[in-house]
Amino acid sequence: MQYKKIIKYTVFAIVFGIIFCSYFARFEGPATGYWDTYITAPAIFMTNQAIDFVSKNGKSLYNYSLPGRLPENLVDKQTYGIISKDQRLGSAILFAPWFLFFNMLGFRILFTLSGVATAFFTFMTLRLFSKRFSICIFSAAAITLNYYILSINKLNPNMMGLLIVSILLYLIMSDKKSWLLIGLLYGVLGGARNVGIFFFPAIIYILLASSERKLKDLSLFVTGAIITILPILCWNHFAFGNPLMHPSQSIELEGFRPTFEHNFFFWKFNFNGMLNYPLYNRLIRTPYFPYPTFLMFPLILLKSFGIVISLLIFSGIAYLYKTRKNKCLFLLLWFLPIYMFFSVQENWSELKMTFLLLFLSPLVIFATYGLEWIMDRRYAAKDILRISSYALLLIFAIKLIFYAEFDADPRWYLRFPRILGSGEISFIGDDLRTKAEDADELLGQKKDLTKANIFPSIRIHSIDMTEALKKAAKEFQQKDISVVDFWKYIYEE
Amino acid sequence: MLKIIYLVLVLAYIFLLPGWLIAKILFHKKDNSLATCAIGTALSIVVLPIILFSIAMALNTFIQEVLVFTVTSSINLILAFILLYKTNKSV
């Protein structure tokens, strides 16, 4: 008995040690791309520390002094503008205290903690229903060390979103729920990722389905959410002139943002995003991506997790529906509205693809239930035949997608006219491209996405802790930073 | 090195103590100390910065060490009193 416990603790320590080292060593450093710059900059400004914004040639762009108070520190219309640009402020707020105490190292610490804590809370959530330690630890590793997530090496609001979602799911799925705390966390999630609003139906459903004092718990949940979303609404009011304004819709932000005509049945409207069918007149895809977003999400997940785990997800849904209907519907309600919302969004990018992290947790929970179910069953020949036929059907469907052709969205080149220009924005590697899409590249992507691998894809990255610790020591000494004003090169003429 | 040790202690005070207290209040009847401490810590990491940000806005200042210490100490005290009250009540 004691011997088994020692093995468990050792495995636990090894898995979490690997997760820690992977995240600590993988982190590239703050403000090296677009999204992370607009998390890093406001986090630093919140502590009254200025940043030297520079052009791509390293020349200082602005001369300013901070007023020394919030929220005024975060807006200077004559120079850097609204500091968070079109990003949400929530993630920057989470990083600010870490920068205050650890300087630049603070960003690496919280990036690492987000990975470790996500794995831990996933593990704890799975332990609520599974007595099999091996399944829980495997799933905790799967959510934080999978092929897709290992490609993220910069600050990303969706990584913070995944962390908050993991804690939320644990609190919601445990027997003793604190609705005030769930509300507080939900408010923080809404501040970091506005799409958190799509989790509202799921939370309300489980509250109404499980609570014995519905009105009291609902009031506690709403109070908690208001407490933590209120500062964000005040910020929106200050920066964008409307508490409910989505930053991307603000006319206060400089840059070229044309609107396009959309329709929904007989309702016509103009919108500065690029929506897909049925809100647009035909089915299109974002240039550089072989498929529309509604196919990109499942294909990337299938590539990352493979046919086997995908089948486990379906088995888990069926099993959970039979045994714990409320929890199954709750997790489906968590996943489906947000997936449907993104399904009609084009104007896509690799960064935006990371939104899938927000609904990764329910899928991992389903897969774990599926695995649990399979391990509890004694297989008959007909079961094996049925599972094999599902696998074949899934492989056939994926292979069929290879032949699907979609037109590139013509609006995209109107939205980003500089893309086809001289290539002067070539250094923005993670959000925009420098040349028109290439047919060979698209074909390569198609082949890669429709490989239909049976087992999860593996991404191996080197973990050089000596180098990472050297970087960390340097970051700990570093408070001043020069940051390329990425925004200028994306949106300004 | 001393500075790092000092900072680790400060962070432990800022995040672990209120974290532990929050978790003790929520789950004080549960015998799962690791989960309890982790939840409280995670909540402190996620919720405390938002509270700091809103207080900084309300006081027209920025996020600084003094503010972090004051807010955290206040939260700790309030939580400790609630815990005391709850524990006495359950006894």
Side-chain angles (χ1 to χ4, degrees):
Chain A
M1 193 64 187
Q2 198 62 27
Y3 176 68
K4 272 187 178 174
K5 247 186 178 174
I6 291 169
I7 291 178
K8 273 185 188 177
Y9 285 135
T10 312
V11 171
F12 188 89
I14 291 172
V15 169
F16 278 82
I18 292 172
I19 295 170
F20 177 88
C21 292
S22 166
Y23 279 73
F24 193 81
R26 200 167 84 233
F27 183 59
E28 206 174 76
T32 52
Y34 170 42
W35 276 15
D36 65 327
T37 289
Y38 298 103
I39 293 174
T40 308
I44 295 176
F45 274 45
M46 277 174 212
T47 66
N48 207 34
Q49 171 78 28
I51 284 177
D52 184 20
F53 281 107
V54 295
S55 69
K56 60 184 175 180
N57 303 319
K59 193 182 154 200
S60 283
L61 290 171
Y62 314 120
N63 186 18
Y64 65 91
S65 58
L66 294 176
R69 55 183 184 272
L70 291 173
E72 285 83 353
N73 267 13
L74 305 175
V75 179
D76 186 341
K77 288 184 178 164
Q78 306 307 316
T79 57
Y80 49 79
I82 297 170
I83 189 67
S84 55
K85 303 298 180 193
D86 61 356
Q87 301 306 303
R88 268 44 89 208
L89 199 67
S91 303
I93 294 172
L94 299 185
F95 279 96
W98 296 90
F99 172 75
L100 182 73
F101 287 100
F102 290 102
N103 300 336
M104 291 300 158
L105 177 61
F107 295 104
R108 186 179 297 272
I109 293 174
L110 190 49
F111 180 82
T112 310
L113 271 182
S114 71
V116 175
T118 297
F120 182 79
F121 283 102
T122 305
F123 175 80
M124 294 300 295
T125 308
L126 301 176
R127 287 296 272 177
L128 292 172
F129 64 86
S130 174
K131 296 291 163 221
R132 289 190 174 92
F133 172 84
S134 53
I135 293 182
C136 296
I137 200 81
F138 171 76
S139 299
I143 201 165
T144 39
L145 294 175
N146 62 67
Y147 176 82
Y148 181 71
I149 209 168
L150 287 178
S151 67
I152 301 170
N153 56 6
K154 293 173 184 169
L155 304 181
N156 186 313
N158 292 322
M159 287 279 291
M160 302 316 292
L162 176 64
L163 165 68
I164 303 170
V165 166
S166 311
I167 308 172
L168 261 176
L169 287 181
Y170 175 71
L171 289 174
I172 290 172
M173 294 187 85
S174 55
D175 294 334
K176 192 183 175 188
K177 298 177 181 61
S178 165
W179 285 104
L180 180 71
L181 268 177
I182 293 170
L184 285 170
L185 278 165
Y186 183 64
V188 179
L189 179 64
R193 296 280 65 178
N194 294 159
V195 288
I197 191 80
F198 291 101
F199 302 135
F200 190 71
I203 296 176
I204 291 301
Y205 171 78
I206 198 77
L207 189 151
L208 295 177
S210 65
S211 172
E212 286 168 6
R213 346 163 267 181
K214 293 180 179 41
L215 197 63
K216 190 184 172 191
D217 286 344
L218 186 65
S219 315
L220 284 170
F221 169 71
V222 172
T223 307
I226 288 173
I227 289 171
T228 44
I229 199 70
L230 202 59
I232 302 294
L233 298 182
C234 291
W235 157 253
N236 283 350
H237 178 67
F238 174 79
F240 308 111
N242 181 346
L244 299 175
M245 171 72 76
H246 190 277
S248 69
Q249 303 302 306
S250 171
I251 52 164
E252 293 288 328
L253 294 175
E254 69 269 42
F256 181 62
R257 288 161 178 269
T259 57
F260 299 100
E261 192 179 283
H262 293 83
N263 54 67
F264 188 64
F265 294 108
F266 299 107
W267 176 44
K268 286 191 174 172
F269 61 97
N270 284 316
F271 177 57
N272 71 3
M274 294 172 219
L275 303 176
N276 207 344
Y277 185 83
L279 299 161
Y280 186 53
N281 55 21
R282 63 203 159 97
L283 203 53
I284 41 91
R285 61 174 173 83
T286 303
Y288 311 98
F289 288 84
Y291 301 110
T293 313
F294 76 90
L295 285 177
M296 287 300 294
F297 274 126
L299 287 175
I300 285 184
L301 285 169
L302 277 160
K303 180 181 161 52
S304 295
F305 292 100
I307 300 289
V308 170
I309 293 187
S310 305
L311 283 176
L312 288 178
I313 293 173
F314 291 118
S315 315
I317 294 171
Y319 176 54
L320 201 55
Y321 188 79
K322 278 182 196 164
T323 53
R324 295 177 176 92
K325 197 174 172 185
N326 279 340
K327 280 187 177 158
C328 179
L329 290 175
F330 161 69
L331 291 171
L332 284 173
L333 272 172
W334 193 279
F335 165 71
L336 288 174
I338 194 165
Y339 171 69
M340 284 171 74
F341 172 73
F342 285 123
S343 289
V344 292
Q345 305 257 346
E346 289 304 322
N347 183 20
W348 212 239
S349 69
E350 282 86 355
L351 281 175
K352 286 185 183 175
M353 209 68 234
T354 59
F355 273 111
L356 72 81
L357 298 180
L358 298 181
F359 52 81
L360 200 56
S361 300
L363 299 181
V364 169
I365 294 172
F366 281 135
T368 312
Y369 267 106
L371 196 56
E372 186 87 3
W373 183 38
I374 282 172
M375 290 178 87
D376 282 344
R377 280 170 71 94
R378 282 184 189 169
Y379 280 95
K382 66 172 185 179
D383 285 332
I384 294 167
L385 198 69
R386 197 167 60 186
I387 291 169
S388 307
S389 56
Y390 288 152
L392 283 172
L393 205 66
L394 193 57
I395 293 169
F396 179 71
I398 296 167
K399 292 290 178 192
L400 208 61
I401 292 173
F402 175 80
Y403 298 100
E405 293 288 343
F406 300 91
D407 291 335
D409 189 351
R411 298 168 298 180
W412 203 83
Y413 291 105
L414 299 173
R415 174 82 161 80
F416 299 104
R418 297 176 71 188
I419 300 304
L420 294 175
S422 60
E424 59 179 305
I425 54 167
S426 59
F427 71 103
I428 302 171
D430 54 4
D431 198 38
L432 294 176
R433 310 297 176 108
T434 55
K435 55 181 173 46
E437 65 175 22
D438 182 73
D440 288 341
E441 191 197 322
L442 279 182
L443 187 67
Q445 278 194 56
K446 271 187 163 188
K447 279 182 185 167
D448 190 42
L449 286 169
T450 55
K451 243 186 225 166
N453 42 311
I454 304 294
F455 297 105
S457 298
I458 293 170
R459 187 189 297 274
I460 295 173
H461 71 95
S462 66
I463 299 177
D464 188 345
M465 280 308 278
T466 317
E467 185 60 31
L469 286 169
K470 273 184 197 166
K471 275 189 195 172
K474 205 177 150 193
E475 285 165 357
F476 185 54
Q477 304 293 334
Q478 190 188 359
K479 204 163 182 139
D480 297 305
I481 186 173
S482 290
V483 171
V484 176
D485 195 352
F486 276 92
W487 178 271
K488 193 176 180 61
Y489 297 97
I490 297 172
Y491 290 106
E492 281 189 3
E493 285 296 320
Chain B
M1 193 61 194
L2 270 177
K3 200 178 171 189
I4 293 175
I5 294 168
Y6 168 73
L7 279 172
V8 169
L9 287 175
V10 165
L11 261 290
Y13 170 70
I14 289 173
F15 293 113
L16 287 174
L17 187 59
W20 180 78
L21 284 168
I22 291 171
K24 277 301 260 186
I25 288 164
L26 282 176
F27 303 97
H28 71 280
K29 281 176 191 166
K30 274 195 176 179
D31 185 26
N32 193 343
S33 52
L34 183 65
T36 303
C37 197
I39 294 158
T41 309
L43 291 174
S44 310
I45 290 169
V46 175
V47 177
L48 186 67
I50 300 284
I51 294 169
L52 285 170
F53 177 74
S54 48
I55 290 174
M57 276 209 293
L59 296 176
N60 239 321
T61 182
F62 53 93
I63 297 173
Q64 55 201 275
E65 288 91 336
V66 178
L67 182 74
V68 178
F69 277 114
T70 313
V71 172
T72 315
S73 305
S74 313
I75 292 175
N76 289 353
L77 271 176
I78 294 165
L79 292 177
F81 276 115
I82 297 172
L83 181 61
L84 197 68
Y85 170 75
K86 276 204 153 186
T87 316
N88 281 344
K89 208 175 158 188
S90 63
V91 169

